[in-house]
Coordinates of all heavy atoms in Angstrom, one line a residue:
M1 N -7.8 17.5 3.2 CA -8.1 16.0 2.9 C -6.8 15.3 2.7 O -5.9 15.7 2.0 CB -8.9 16.0 1.6 CG -10.0 14.9 1.7 SD -11.1 15.1 0.3 CE -12.3 13.8 0.8
P2 N -6.7 14.1 3.3 CA -5.5 13.3 3.1 C -5.3 12.8 1.7 O -6.3 12.7 0.9 CB -5.7 12.1 4.1 CG -7.1 12.0 4.3 CD -7.7 13.4 4.2
K3 N -4.1 12.6 1.3 CA -3.8 12.2 -0.1 C -2.8 11.0 -0.1 O -2.0 10.8 0.9 CB -3.0 13.3 -0.8 CG -3.8 14.5 -1.0 CD -3.0 15.6 -1.7 CE -3.8 16.8 -1.9 NZ -3.0 17.9 -2.4
V4 N -2.9 10.2 -1.1 CA -1.9 9.2 -1.4 C -1.2 9.6 -2.6 O -1.8 10.0 -3.6 CB -2.6 7.8 -1.7 CG1 -1.5 6.8 -2.0 CG2 -3.3 7.3 -0.4
K5 N 0.2 9.6 -2.5 CA 1.0 10.0 -3.6 C 1.7 8.8 -4.2 O 2.1 7.9 -3.4 CB 2.0 11.0 -3.2 CG 2.9 11.6 -4.3 CD 3.8 12.7 -3.8 CE 4.8 13.1 -4.9 NZ 5.6 14.2 -4.4
F6 N 1.8 8.7 -5.5 CA 2.4 7.6 -6.2 C 3.8 8.2 -6.6 O 3.9 8.9 -7.6 CB 1.6 7.2 -7.4 CG 2.1 5.9 -8.1 CD1 2.4 4.8 -7.3 CD2 2.3 5.9 -9.4 CE1 2.8 3.6 -7.9 CE2 2.7 4.7 -10.0 CZ 3.0 3.6 -9.3
Q7 N 4.8 7.7 -5.9 CA 6.2 8.3 -6.1 C 6.7 8.1 -7.5 O 7.4 9.0 -8.1 CB 7.1 7.5 -5.1 CG 8.6 7.9 -5.2 CD 8.9 9.1 -4.3 OE1 8.0 9.8 -3.8 NE2 10.1 9.4 -4.1
N8 N 6.3 7.0 -8.2 CA 6.8 6.7 -9.5 C 6.5 7.8 -10.5 O 7.3 8.1 -11.4 CB 6.3 5.4 -10.0 CG 6.5 4.3 -9.0 OD1 6.1 4.3 -7.9 ND2 7.2 3.2 -9.5
T9 N 5.3 8.4 -10.4 CA 4.9 9.4 -11.4 C 4.6 10.8 -10.8 O 4.4 11.8 -11.5 CB 3.6 9.0 -12.0 OG1 2.5 8.9 -11.0 CG2 3.7 7.6 -12.7
G10 N 4.6 10.9 -9.4 CA 4.3 12.1 -8.8 C 2.8 12.4 -8.7 O 2.4 13.4 -8.1
E11 N 2.0 11.5 -9.2 CA 0.5 11.7 -9.1 C 0.0 11.6 -7.7 O 0.6 10.8 -6.9 CB -0.2 10.7 -10.0 CG 0.0 10.8 -11.4 CD -0.6 9.7 -12.2 OE1 -1.8 9.7 -12.5 OE2 0.2 8.7 -12.4
E12 N -1.1 12.3 -7.4 CA -1.7 12.3 -6.0 C -3.2 12.1 -6.2 O -3.8 12.6 -7.1 CB -1.4 13.6 -5.3 CG 0.0 13.8 -4.9 CD 0.1 15.1 -4.1 OE1 -0.7 16.0 -4.2 OE2 1.1 15.3 -3.4
E13 N -3.7 11.4 -5.2 CA -5.2 11.2 -5.1 C -5.7 11.6 -3.7 O -5.1 11.2 -2.7 CB -5.5 9.7 -5.3 CG -5.4 9.2 -6.7 CD -6.4 9.8 -7.7 OE1 -7.6 9.9 -7.3 OE2 -6.0 10.2 -8.8
E14 N -6.7 12.4 -3.7 CA -7.3 12.7 -2.4 C -8.1 11.5 -2.0 O -8.7 10.8 -2.8 CB -8.2 13.9 -2.5 CG -7.5 15.2 -2.6 CD -8.4 16.4 -2.4 OE1 -9.6 16.3 -2.5 OE2 -7.8 17.5 -2.2
I15 N -8.1 11.2 -0.7 CA -8.8 10.0 -0.2 C -9.6 10.3 1.0 O -9.4 11.3 1.7 CB -7.8 8.9 0.2 CG1 -6.8 9.5 1.3 CG2 -7.0 8.4 -1.0 CD1 -6.2 8.4 2.1
E16 N -10.6 9.5 1.3 CA -11.4 9.5 2.5 C -10.5 8.8 3.6 O -9.8 7.8 3.2 CB -12.7 8.8 2.4 CG -13.6 9.3 1.3 CD -14.2 10.6 1.6 OE1 -14.4 10.9 2.9 OE2 -14.6 11.4 0.7
L17 N -10.7 9.2 4.8 CA -10.0 8.5 5.9 C -10.5 7.0 5.9 O -11.7 6.8 5.8 CB -10.3 9.1 7.2 CG -9.5 10.4 7.6 CD1 -9.9 10.9 9.0 CD2 -8.0 10.2 7.4
G18 N -9.5 6.1 6.0 CA -9.9 4.7 6.1 C -10.0 4.1 4.7 O -10.3 2.9 4.5
A19 N -9.6 4.8 3.6 CA -9.7 4.3 2.3 C -8.8 3.1 2.1 O -7.7 3.0 2.7 CB -9.3 5.3 1.3
E20 N -9.2 2.1 1.4 CA -8.4 0.9 1.1 C -7.4 1.3 0.0 O -7.8 1.8 -1.1 CB -9.2 -0.2 0.6 CG -10.1 -0.8 1.7 CD -10.8 -2.1 1.3 OE1 -10.5 -2.7 0.2 OE2 -11.8 -2.4 2.0
L21 N -6.1 1.1 0.3 CA -5.1 1.5 -0.7 C -5.3 0.8 -2.0 O -5.0 1.4 -3.1 CB -3.7 1.1 -0.1 CG -2.5 1.6 -0.9 CD1 -2.5 3.1 -1.2 CD2 -1.2 1.2 -0.2
K22 N -5.7 -0.5 -2.0 CA -6.0 -1.2 -3.2 C -7.0 -0.4 -4.1 O -6.8 -0.3 -5.3 CB -6.6 -2.6 -2.8 CG -7.1 -3.4 -3.9 CD -7.7 -4.7 -3.4 CE -9.0 -4.5 -2.7 NZ -9.6 -5.8 -2.3
E23 N -8.1 0.1 -3.5 CA -9.1 0.8 -4.3 C -8.5 2.1 -4.8 O -8.8 2.5 -5.9 CB -10.3 1.0 -3.5 CG -11.0 -0.3 -3.0 CD -11.4 -1.2 -4.1 OE1 -11.6 -0.8 -5.3 OE2 -11.4 -2.5 -3.9
V24 N -7.7 2.8 -4.0 CA -7.1 4.1 -4.4 C -6.3 3.8 -5.6 O -6.4 4.6 -6.6 CB -6.3 4.7 -3.2 CG1 -5.6 5.9 -3.7 CG2 -7.2 5.0 -2.0
T25 N -5.4 2.8 -5.6 CA -4.5 2.6 -6.7 C -5.3 2.2 -8.0 O -4.9 2.6 -9.1 CB -3.4 1.6 -6.4 OG1 -4.0 0.3 -6.2 CG2 -2.6 2.0 -5.2
K26 N -6.3 1.3 -7.8 CA -7.1 0.9 -8.9 C -7.8 2.1 -9.6 O -7.8 2.2 -10.8 CB -8.0 -0.2 -8.5 CG -7.4 -1.5 -8.3 CD -8.4 -2.6 -7.9 CE -7.8 -4.0 -7.8 NZ -8.9 -5.0 -7.5
D27 N -8.5 2.9 -8.7 CA -9.3 4.0 -9.2 C -8.4 5.0 -10.0 O -8.8 5.6 -10.9 CB -10.0 4.7 -8.1 CG -11.1 3.9 -7.5 OD1 -11.5 2.8 -8.1 OD2 -11.7 4.2 -6.5
A28 N -7.1 5.1 -9.4 CA -6.2 6.1 -10.1 C -5.5 5.5 -11.3 O -4.9 6.3 -12.1 CB -5.1 6.5 -9.0
G29 N -5.6 4.2 -11.5 CA -5.0 3.6 -12.7 C -3.5 3.4 -12.5 O -2.8 3.3 -13.5
W30 N -3.0 3.4 -11.3 CA -1.6 3.3 -11.1 C -1.2 1.8 -11.3 O -2.0 0.9 -10.9 CB -1.2 3.7 -9.7 CG -1.4 5.1 -9.4 CD1 -1.6 6.1 -10.4 CD2 -1.6 5.8 -8.2 NE1 -1.8 7.3 -9.8 CE2 -1.8 7.2 -8.4 CE3 -1.6 5.4 -6.8 CZ2 -2.0 8.1 -7.4 CZ3 -1.8 6.3 -5.8 CH2 -1.9 7.6 -6.1
P31 N -0.1 1.6 -11.9 CA 0.3 0.2 -12.3 C 0.8 -0.7 -11.2 O 2.0 -1.1 -11.2 CB 1.4 0.4 -13.4 CG 2.0 1.7 -13.0 CD 0.9 2.5 -12.3
I32 N -0.1 -1.0 -10.3 CA 0.2 -2.0 -9.2 C -0.6 -3.2 -9.5 O -1.8 -3.1 -9.7 CB -0.1 -1.4 -7.9 CG1 0.9 -0.3 -7.6 CG2 0.1 -2.5 -6.8 CD1 0.6 0.6 -6.4
A33 N 0.1 -4.4 -9.7 CA -0.6 -5.6 -10.0 C -1.2 -6.3 -8.8 O -0.6 -6.2 -7.7 CB 0.3 -6.5 -10.7
Y34 N -2.4 -6.9 -8.9 CA -3.0 -7.6 -7.8 C -3.2 -9.0 -8.3 O -3.5 -9.3 -9.4 CB -4.3 -6.9 -7.4 CG -4.1 -5.6 -6.7 CD1 -4.1 -4.4 -7.5 CD2 -3.8 -5.5 -5.4 CE1 -3.9 -3.2 -6.9 CE2 -3.5 -4.3 -4.8 CZ -3.6 -3.1 -5.5 OH -3.3 -1.9 -4.9
G35 N -3.1 -9.9 -7.3 CA -3.4 -11.3 -7.5 C -4.5 -11.8 -6.6 O -5.7 -11.6 -6.8
C36 N -4.1 -12.4 -5.5 CA -5.0 -12.9 -4.5 C -5.9 -11.9 -3.8 O -7.0 -12.2 -3.4 CB -4.3 -13.7 -3.5 SG -3.2 -12.7 -2.4
E37 N -5.4 -10.7 -3.6 CA -6.0 -9.6 -2.9 C -6.3 -10.1 -1.4 O -7.3 -9.6 -0.8 CB -7.3 -9.1 -3.6 CG -7.0 -8.6 -5.0 CD -8.1 -7.8 -5.6 OE1 -9.1 -7.6 -5.0 OE2 -7.9 -7.3 -6.8
D38 N -5.5 -11.0 -1.0 CA -5.8 -11.5 0.4 C -4.5 -11.6 1.2 O -4.4 -12.2 2.2 CB -6.3 -12.9 0.2 CG -7.4 -13.3 1.2 OD1 -7.8 -12.4 1.9 OD2 -7.7 -14.5 1.4
G39 N -3.4 -10.9 0.7 CA -2.2 -10.8 1.5 C -1.3 -12.0 1.4 O -0.4 -12.2 2.2
V40 N -1.6 -12.9 0.5 CA -0.8 -14.2 0.4 C 0.2 -14.2 -0.7 O 1.3 -14.8 -0.5 CB -1.8 -15.3 0.3 CG1 -1.1 -16.7 0.2 CG2 -2.8 -15.4 1.5
C41 N -0.2 -13.7 -1.9 CA 0.7 -14.0 -3.1 C 1.9 -13.0 -3.2 O 2.9 -13.3 -3.8 CB -0.1 -13.9 -4.3 SG -0.7 -12.3 -4.8
G42 N 1.8 -11.9 -2.6 CA 2.9 -10.9 -2.6 C 3.0 -10.1 -3.9 O 3.9 -9.3 -4.0
T43 N 2.0 -10.2 -4.8 CA 2.1 -9.5 -6.1 C 2.0 -8.0 -5.9 O 2.7 -7.2 -6.6 CB 0.9 -9.9 -6.9 OG1 0.9 -11.3 -7.1 CG2 1.0 -9.3 -8.3
C44 N 1.3 -7.5 -4.9 CA 0.9 -6.1 -4.8 C 1.9 -5.3 -3.9 O 1.5 -4.3 -3.4 CB -0.5 -6.0 -4.3 SG -0.6 -6.6 -2.6
I45 N 3.1 -5.8 -3.8 CA 4.1 -5.2 -2.9 C 4.4 -3.7 -3.3 O 4.5 -3.4 -4.5 CB 5.3 -6.0 -2.8 CG1 6.2 -5.5 -1.6 CG2 6.1 -6.0 -4.0 CD1 7.0 -6.5 -1.0
V46 N 4.4 -2.8 -2.3 CA 4.8 -1.5 -2.5 C 5.7 -1.1 -1.4 O 5.8 -1.7 -0.3 CB 3.6 -0.5 -2.5 CG1 2.6 -0.7 -3.7 CG2 2.8 -0.5 -1.2
K47 N 6.6 -0.1 -1.7 CA 7.4 0.5 -0.6 C 6.7 1.8 -0.2 O 6.3 2.6 -1.0 CB 8.8 0.8 -1.2 CG 9.7 1.3 -0.1 CD 11.2 1.4 -0.6 CE 12.0 2.1 0.4 NZ 12.9 1.2 1.1
V48 N 6.5 1.9 1.1 CA 5.9 3.1 1.7 C 7.1 4.1 2.0 O 7.9 3.9 2.8 CB 5.1 2.8 3.0 CG1 4.5 4.1 3.5 CG2 4.1 1.7 2.7
V49 N 7.1 5.1 1.2 CA 8.2 6.1 1.2 C 8.0 7.1 2.3 O 8.9 7.6 3.0 CB 8.3 6.8 -0.2 CG1 9.4 7.9 -0.1 CG2 8.5 5.8 -1.3
D50 N 6.7 7.4 2.6 CA 6.4 8.4 3.6 C 5.0 8.1 4.2 O 4.1 7.6 3.4 CB 6.4 9.8 3.0 CG 6.4 10.9 4.0 OD1 7.0 10.7 5.1 OD2 5.9 12.0 3.7
G51 N 4.8 8.4 5.4 CA 3.5 8.2 6.0 C 3.1 6.8 6.4 O 2.0 6.5 6.6
E52 N 4.2 6.0 6.7 CA 3.9 4.6 7.1 C 3.0 4.6 8.3 O 2.2 3.6 8.5 CB 5.2 3.9 7.3 CG 5.1 2.4 7.4 CD 6.5 1.7 7.5 OE1 7.5 2.4 7.5 OE2 6.5 0.5 7.6
E53 N 3.2 5.5 9.2 CA 2.4 5.6 10.4 C 0.9 5.8 10.2 O 0.1 5.6 11.1 CB 3.0 6.6 11.4 CG 2.8 8.1 10.9 CD 3.8 8.6 9.9 OE1 4.6 7.8 9.4 OE2 3.7 9.8 9.6
N54 N 0.6 6.2 9.0 CA -0.8 6.5 8.7 C -1.5 5.3 8.1 O -2.7 5.3 7.7 CB -0.9 7.7 7.7 CG -0.6 9.0 8.4 OD1 -0.8 9.1 9.6 ND2 -0.1 9.9 7.6
L55 N -0.8 4.2 8.0 CA -1.4 2.9 7.5 C -1.8 2.0 8.7 O -1.1 2.1 9.7 CB -0.5 2.2 6.5 CG -0.1 3.0 5.3 CD1 0.9 2.2 4.4 CD2 -1.3 3.3 4.4
N56 N -2.7 1.2 8.5 CA -3.1 0.2 9.5 C -1.9 -0.7 9.9 O -1.1 -1.0 9.0 CB -4.3 -0.6 9.1 CG -4.0 -1.4 7.8 OD1 -3.6 -0.8 6.8 ND2 -4.3 -2.7 7.8
P57 N -1.9 -1.1 11.1 CA -0.8 -2.1 11.5 C -0.9 -3.4 10.7 O -2.1 -3.8 10.3 CB -1.0 -2.4 13.0 CG -2.0 -1.3 13.4 CD -2.7 -0.8 12.3
M58 N 0.2 -4.0 10.4 CA 0.1 -5.3 9.7 C -0.5 -6.4 10.5 O -0.3 -6.5 11.7 CB 1.6 -5.8 9.4 CG 2.2 -5.2 8.2 SD 3.7 -6.1 7.9 CE 4.7 -4.7 7.4
E59 N -1.3 -7.2 9.7 CA -1.8 -8.4 10.4 C -0.9 -9.6 10.1 O 0.0 -9.5 9.3 CB -3.2 -8.7 9.9 CG -4.2 -7.6 10.4 CD -5.6 -7.8 10.2 OE1 -6.0 -9.0 9.9 OE2 -6.4 -6.9 10.5
E60 N -1.1 -10.7 10.7 CA -0.2 -11.8 10.7 C 0.0 -12.3 9.2 O 1.2 -12.6 8.9 CB -0.8 -13.0 11.5 CG 0.3 -13.9 12.1 CD 1.4 -13.1 12.8 OE1 1.2 -12.2 13.6 OE2 2.6 -13.5 12.5
T61 N -1.0 -12.4 8.4 CA -0.8 -12.9 7.1 C 0.2 -12.1 6.3 O 1.0 -12.6 5.6 CB -2.2 -12.9 6.3 OG1 -3.1 -13.7 7.1 CG2 -2.1 -13.5 4.9
E62 N 0.0 -10.7 6.4 CA 0.9 -9.8 5.6 C 2.3 -10.0 6.1 O 3.2 -10.0 5.3 CB 0.4 -8.4 5.8 CG 1.2 -7.4 5.0 CD 0.7 -6.0 5.1 OE1 -0.2 -5.7 5.9 OE2 1.3 -5.1 4.4
K63 N 2.4 -10.0 7.4 CA 3.8 -10.2 8.0 C 4.4 -11.5 7.5 O 5.6 -11.5 7.2 CB 3.7 -10.3 9.6 CG 3.7 -9.0 10.3 CD 3.8 -9.2 11.8 CE 3.2 -8.0 12.5 NZ 2.9 -8.2 13.9
Q64 N 3.7 -12.5 7.5 CA 4.3 -13.8 7.0 C 4.7 -13.8 5.6 O 5.7 -14.2 5.2 CB 3.2 -14.9 7.2 CG 3.1 -15.4 8.7 CD 2.0 -16.5 8.8 OE1 1.4 -16.9 7.9 NE2 1.8 -16.9 10.1
T65 N 3.8 -13.2 4.7 CA 4.1 -13.1 3.3 C 5.4 -12.3 3.1 O 6.3 -12.7 2.3 CB 2.9 -12.5 2.5 OG1 1.8 -13.4 2.8 CG2 3.2 -12.5 1.0
L66 N 5.4 -11.1 3.7 CA 6.6 -10.3 3.6 C 7.9 -11.0 4.1 O 8.9 -10.8 3.5 CB 6.4 -8.9 4.3 CG 5.4 -8.0 3.6 CD1 5.1 -6.8 4.5 CD2 5.9 -7.5 2.2
G67 N 7.7 -11.7 5.2 CA 8.8 -12.4 5.8 C 9.4 -13.5 4.8 O 10.6 -13.6 4.6
I68 N 8.5 -14.2 4.1 CA 8.9 -15.2 3.2 C 9.6 -14.6 2.0 O 10.6 -15.1 1.5 CB 7.6 -16.0 2.6 CG1 7.1 -16.9 3.8 CG2 8.0 -16.8 1.4 CD1 5.7 -17.4 3.5
M69 N 9.2 -13.4 1.6 CA 9.8 -12.6 0.5 C 11.1 -12.0 1.0 O 11.8 -11.4 0.2 CB 8.9 -11.6 0.0 CG 7.6 -12.2 -0.6 SD 6.4 -10.9 -1.0 CE 7.1 -10.3 -2.5
G70 N 11.4 -12.0 2.3 CA 12.6 -11.3 2.8 C 12.5 -9.8 2.8 O 13.5 -9.1 2.8
L71 N 11.2 -9.3 2.8 CA 11.0 -7.9 2.8 C 10.2 -7.4 4.0 O 9.3 -6.5 3.9 CB 10.2 -7.5 1.5 CG 11.0 -7.8 0.2 CD1 10.1 -7.6 -1.0 CD2 12.2 -6.9 0.1
D72 N 10.5 -8.0 5.1 CA 9.7 -7.6 6.3 C 10.3 -6.4 7.0 O 9.8 -6.0 8.1 CB 9.5 -8.8 7.3 CG 10.8 -9.6 7.5 OD1 11.8 -9.3 6.8 OD2 10.8 -10.5 8.4
E73 N 11.4 -5.9 6.4 CA 11.9 -4.6 6.9 C 12.1 -3.7 5.8 O 12.3 -4.1 4.6 CB 13.3 -4.8 7.7 CG 13.1 -5.5 9.0 CD 14.4 -5.8 9.7 OE1 15.4 -5.2 9.3 OE2 14.4 -6.6 10.6
G74 N 12.1 -2.4 6.0 CA 12.4 -1.4 5.0 C 11.2 -0.7 4.4 O 11.3 -0.1 3.4
G75 N 10.1 -0.8 5.1 CA 8.9 -0.1 4.8 C 8.0 -0.7 3.7 O 7.2 0.0 3.0
Y76 N 8.2 -2.0 3.4 CA 7.4 -2.6 2.4 C 6.0 -3.0 3.0 O 5.9 -3.4 4.2 CB 8.1 -3.9 1.9 CG 9.4 -3.5 1.2 CD1 10.6 -3.6 1.8 CD2 9.3 -3.1 -0.1 CE1 11.8 -3.3 1.2 CE2 10.5 -2.7 -0.8 CZ 11.7 -2.8 -0.1 OH 12.9 -2.5 -0.7
R77 N 5.0 -2.9 2.2 CA 3.6 -3.3 2.6 C 3.0 -4.0 1.3 O 3.4 -3.8 0.2 CB 2.8 -2.1 3.0 CG 3.2 -1.4 4.2 CD 3.0 -2.3 5.5 NE 1.7 -2.8 5.7 CZ 0.8 -2.2 6.5 NH1 1.1 -1.2 7.2 NH2 -0.4 -2.8 6.7
L78 N 2.0 -4.8 1.6 CA 1.1 -5.3 0.6 C -0.1 -4.4 0.4 O -0.9 -4.2 1.3 CB 0.7 -6.7 1.0 CG 1.9 -7.7 1.1 CD1 1.4 -9.0 1.7 CD2 2.6 -7.9 -0.2
A79 N -0.2 -3.8 -0.8 CA -1.2 -2.8 -1.0 C -2.6 -3.3 -0.7 O -3.5 -2.6 -0.2 CB -1.1 -2.2 -2.4
C80 N -2.8 -4.6 -1.0 CA -4.2 -5.1 -0.8 C -4.6 -5.2 0.7 O -5.7 -5.5 1.0 CB -4.3 -6.5 -1.5 SG -3.4 -7.8 -0.6
Q81 N -3.6 -5.0 1.6 CA -3.9 -5.2 3.0 C -3.9 -3.8 3.7 O -4.0 -3.8 5.0 CB -2.8 -6.1 3.7 CG -2.8 -7.5 3.1 CD -4.1 -8.2 3.3 OE1 -4.5 -8.4 4.4 NE2 -4.8 -8.5 2.2
C82 N -3.7 -2.7 3.0 CA -3.5 -1.4 3.6 C -4.7 -0.6 3.6 O -5.4 -0.4 2.6 CB -2.4 -0.7 2.9 SG -0.8 -1.4 3.2
K83 N -5.0 0.0 4.8 CA -6.0 1.1 4.8 C -5.3 2.4 5.2 O -4.4 2.4 6.0 CB -7.1 0.7 5.9 CG -8.0 -0.4 5.5 CD -9.2 -0.5 6.5 CE -10.2 -1.5 6.0 NZ -9.7 -2.8 6.0
C84 N -5.8 3.5 4.6 CA -5.1 4.7 4.8 C -5.8 5.6 5.8 O -7.0 6.0 5.6 CB -5.0 5.5 3.5 SG -4.4 4.5 2.1
N85 N -5.2 5.8 6.9 CA -5.8 6.7 8.0 C -5.2 8.1 7.9 O -5.3 8.8 8.9 CB -5.6 6.0 9.3 CG -6.3 4.7 9.4 OD1 -7.4 4.6 9.0 ND2 -5.6 3.7 9.9
G86 N -4.5 8.4 6.8 CA -3.9 9.7 6.7 C -3.1 9.7 5.4 O -3.2 8.7 4.6
S87 N -2.4 10.7 5.1 CA -1.6 10.8 3.9 C -0.4 9.8 3.9 O 0.2 9.6 4.9 CB -1.1 12.2 3.6 OG -2.2 13.1 3.5
C88 N 0.0 9.3 2.7 CA 1.1 8.5 2.6 C 1.7 8.6 1.1 O 1.0 9.1 0.2 CB 0.9 7.1 2.9 SG -0.2 6.2 1.9
T89 N 2.9 8.2 0.9 CA 3.5 8.2 -0.4 C 4.0 6.7 -0.6 O 4.7 6.2 0.3 CB 4.7 9.1 -0.5 OG1 4.3 10.4 -0.2 CG2 5.3 9.1 -1.8
I90 N 3.6 6.2 -1.7 CA 4.0 4.8 -2.0 C 4.8 4.7 -3.3 O 4.6 5.6 -4.2 CB 2.8 3.8 -2.1 CG1 1.9 4.3 -3.3 CG2 2.1 3.7 -0.8 CD1 0.8 3.2 -3.7
E91 N 5.6 3.7 -3.4 CA 6.4 3.5 -4.6 C 6.1 2.1 -5.1 O 6.2 1.1 -4.4 CB 7.9 3.6 -4.3 CG 8.8 3.5 -5.5 CD 10.3 3.7 -5.0 OE1 10.5 4.1 -3.9 OE2 11.1 3.4 -5.9
G92 N 5.7 2.0 -6.4 CA 5.4 0.7 -7.0 C 6.8 0.0 -7.2 O 7.8 0.6 -7.5
M93 N 6.8 -1.4 -7.1 CA 8.0 -2.1 -7.2 C 8.1 -2.8 -8.6 O 7.1 -3.2 -9.2 CB 8.0 -3.2 -6.2 CG 7.9 -2.7 -4.7 SD 9.2 -1.5 -4.3 CE 10.6 -2.6 -4.3
Ligands
LIG101 S1 -2.7 -9.3 -4.2 FE1 -1.8 -11.0 -3.3 S2 -0.8 -10.2 -1.6 FE2 -1.9 -8.5 -2.4

């Protein structure tokens, strides 16, 4: 079963394919803050340390928000916009 790992603490959660990263982090109680939950405010930024290829491609809103923040390179994603199609490791910012 695929897993999401939280780099900050080393904790891991088993997930169903297609799980929303937002729900995984909330269910696990990992300290990632959410605001709009719509890819606009940038509150939920995480760095994808491993398994970036297992996340859904970015849509335009997420790209724009990360671009405004100057974080459109380097493996950053907005957790509220990510679906997990396999294992990945994220780091909270
Ligand atoms: S909660 Fe606002 S961008 Fe994710």
